[in-house]
Amino acid sequence: MPVIVNLDVMLARRKMRSNELARAVGITESNLSLLKSGKVKGVRFSTLAAICHVLECEPGDLLGYERSDEDLNAGEGD
């Protein structure tokens, strides 16, 4: 997947545990775990904003992009 989730990195920088963040943001630990692993198809902007607020960061600190050959073919056939 070309979108990289760096949530673990930011949690480590803030010396915060996943369960603390989940509680502060108001989401379940299992949903946060899925987000951390990149196994979600989307995230609500309100959830992303809440995570950024708690971790005192920007969305770009949490998400990255890695170009791949698959990306070049993603729009074909639409």
Side-chain angles (χ1 to χ4, degrees), residues 12-75:
R13 286 182 182 165
R14 300 298 188 250
K15 295 181 170 81
M16 183 179 278
R17 298 183 60 121
S18 294
N19 61 351
E20 293 175 89
L21 179 61
R23 199 173 20 245
V25 171
I27 62 175
T28 65
E29 289 181 50
S30 60
N31 281 343
L32 185 63
S33 177
L34 288 170
L35 178 58
K36 282 176 26 181
S37 68
K39 294 183 180 177
V40 294
K41 293 190 186 263
V43 60
R44 292 177 187 228
F45 283 160
S46 59
T47 302
L48 184 59
I51 291 170
C52 288
H53 177 77
V54 172
L55 294 178
E56 299 179 350
C57 67
E58 298 290 323
D61 297 325
L62 301 174
L63 302 173
Y65 176 76
E66 186 174 286
R67 187 178 298 266
S68 70
D69 291 339
E70 288 181 22
D71 297 339
L72 298 174
N73 301 322

